[in-house]
Amino acid sequence: NVLRSFRVAKVFRENSDKINCFDFSPNGETVISSSDDDSIVLYDCQEGKPKRTLYSKKYGVDLIRYTHAANTVVYSSNKIDDTIRYLSLHDNKYIRYFPGHTKRVVALSMSPVDDTFISGSLDKTIRLWDLRSPNCQGLMHLQGKPVCSFDPEGLIFAAGVNSEMVKLYDLRSFDKGPFATFKMQYDRTCEWTGLKFSNDGKLILISTNGGFIRLIDAFKGAVLHTFGGYNNSKAVTLEASFTPDSQFIMIGSEDGKIHVWNGESGMKVAVLDGKHTGPITCLQFNPKFMTFASACSNMAFWLPTIDD
């Protein structure tokens, strides 16, 4: 009922092109977005307003992620080169560059516990990094396009490879290869675009650029549910997310609506109309407050409207 009661509280039109990524700060107080118009916009979630805008005109900006320091981010480039950049928001200066990938970075995940992060690229590699060093700390060659993410404890990471298998690696001994591999049924109509763990670490959500997303058991690899019935006819990358209690799964669609399912029963529990003008490419729940954000080229903040 709470999820059904969510309504758009505010819409921000700071961007002239698609918002390709956003990320909430760990304390939930701010959200930062990257856009195809080369801008980085920082929003105050408590006051519900944009705080400042920075630009990355030369390199472009994609896959923006907060680090553990509240005022620094890492992001990938979508122009010129494929270097990952580490930016101080405080003075808008680069702290470090992470060169190495030779094609576009398509996955970037910050460790929830320390200064480690992982990146996956169309060059068919996953690289492991430490914020304190420009040198790659580990390199894995794969057979195809990777998606990757840390688990909530930062001890293991999952790599989705070739849109058909999930491999789990122990961070301390990942060079020994995966300790578990889950093979899925390959679907040639679409490819995997993202992979996320639930906050309780028990589930993995695989998003695709097709008309379905998959929920799998993080320990056994069994497909628990396949969720569909939302519009994505143009193979857009739509971000799917868990609610912070790991119970519900949400994804936007190309017609500006948000679909919500119960992860246990697999039943659709809500369809929310965000009145977005384009496909909802980004969707995440705030980690600390009862609010979530969705984005096309506009950013929308949602609040529940339950009356006492």
Side-chain angles (χ1 to χ4, degrees):
N1 285 347
V2 175
L3 280 165
R4 279 191 204 107
S5 83
F6 269 87
R7 299 289 180 269
V8 175
K10 268 199 168 161
V11 177
F12 305 101
R13 296 179 176 84
E14 306 295 303
N15 294 99
S16 59
D17 205 337
K18 180 187 90 180
I19 294 171
N20 51 41
C21 185
F22 67 71
D23 194 33
F24 282 100
S25 59
N27 63 11
E29 289 171 13
T30 59
V31 64
I32 194 158
S33 69
S34 56
S35 165
D36 288 355
D37 64 13
D38 307 332
S39 69
I40 296 169
V41 184
L42 186 65
Y43 297 88
D44 184 317
C45 296
Q46 288 162 310
E47 294 188 16
K49 62 184 194 200
K51 283 198 344 187
R52 52 192 293 222
T53 301
L54 309 170
Y55 292 95
S56 180
K57 290 273 190 222
K58 186 174 173 187
Y59 305 107
V61 52
D62 198 356
L63 299 176
I64 198 157
R65 303 278 185 255
Y66 272 107
T67 68
H68 296 284
N71 55 359
T72 61
V73 290
V74 288
Y75 65 82
S76 65
S77 324
N78 52 16
K79 293 178 175 179
I80 299 191
D81 64 14
D82 304 288
T83 299
I84 297 165
R85 295 181 160 74
Y86 180 21
L87 177 71
S88 163
L89 301 172
H90 168 65
D91 49 8
N92 194 19
K93 288 199 167 67
Y94 291 116
I95 302 169
R96 196 162 281 117
Y97 302 103
F98 303 96
H101 284 301
T102 55
K103 286 188 175 161
R104 209 183 83 183
V105 175
V106 290
L108 193 60
S109 177
M110 193 75 213
S111 161
V113 294
D114 60 22
D115 284 339
T116 314
F117 67 98
I118 48 175
S119 58
S121 158
L122 294 179
D123 63 17
K124 299 182 184 173
T125 65
I126 286 177
R127 286 174 181 263
L128 190 64
W129 309 88
D130 187 305
L131 283 175
R132 294 162 296 197
S133 162
N135 305 323
C136 171
Q137 307 291 304
L139 174 63
M140 289 159 45
H141 291 275
L142 305 164
Q143 296 299 301
K145 173 190 165 177
V147 288
C148 53
S149 182
F150 278 99
D151 83 318
E153 290 173 335
L155 298 174
I156 66 171
F157 65 88
V161 189
N162 258 4
S163 300
E164 61 178 350
M165 62 184 98
V166 175
K167 295 171 182 266
L168 300 182
Y169 295 85
D170 186 312
L171 200 60
R172 291 154 301 197
S173 58
F174 76 93
D175 45 345
K176 295 191 175 72
F179 64 83
T181 300
F182 310 138
K183 193 119 166 57
M184 312 274 143
Q185 198 173 348
Y186 181 65
D187 187 316
R188 63 174 166 285
T189 63
C190 61
E191 60 177 15
W192 294 0
T193 53
L195 184 146
K196 284 184 185 178
F197 281 87
S198 57
N199 276 345
D200 62 9
K202 294 176 182 169
L203 304 166
I204 294 174
L205 183 59
I206 297 168
S207 37
T208 73
N209 62 359
F212 68 92
I213 51 179
R214 279 209 183 110
L215 187 67
I216 68 170
D217 182 304
F219 300 105
K220 302 190 186 81
V223 176
L224 303 173
H225 296 290
T226 300
F227 304 117
Y230 58 91
N231 292 4
N232 188 15
S233 62
K234 298 185 181 74
V236 180
T237 297
L238 304 171
E239 181 179 24
S241 290
F242 288 99
T243 51
D245 62 5
S246 308
Q247 285 185 21
F248 298 93
I249 287 94
M250 321 167 63
I251 192 170
S253 62
E254 67 183 4
D255 59 7
K257 291 188 169 62
I258 291 171
H259 297 251
V260 187
W261 294 268
N262 180 311
E264 198 166 349
S265 70
M267 300 294 288
K268 189 173 284 191
V269 295
V271 179
L272 306 169
D273 191 353
K275 307 267 193 302
H276 277 281
T277 52
I280 299 177
T281 41
C282 306
L283 175 67
Q284 277 178 45
F285 225 93
N286 188 305
K288 292 284 189 277
F289 302 104
M290 195 58 155
T291 166
F292 68 86
S294 60
C296 54
S297 57
N298 300 335
M299 170 78 88
F301 284 6
W302 298 69
L303 291 170
T305 54
I306 283 196
D307 303 319
D308 293 336

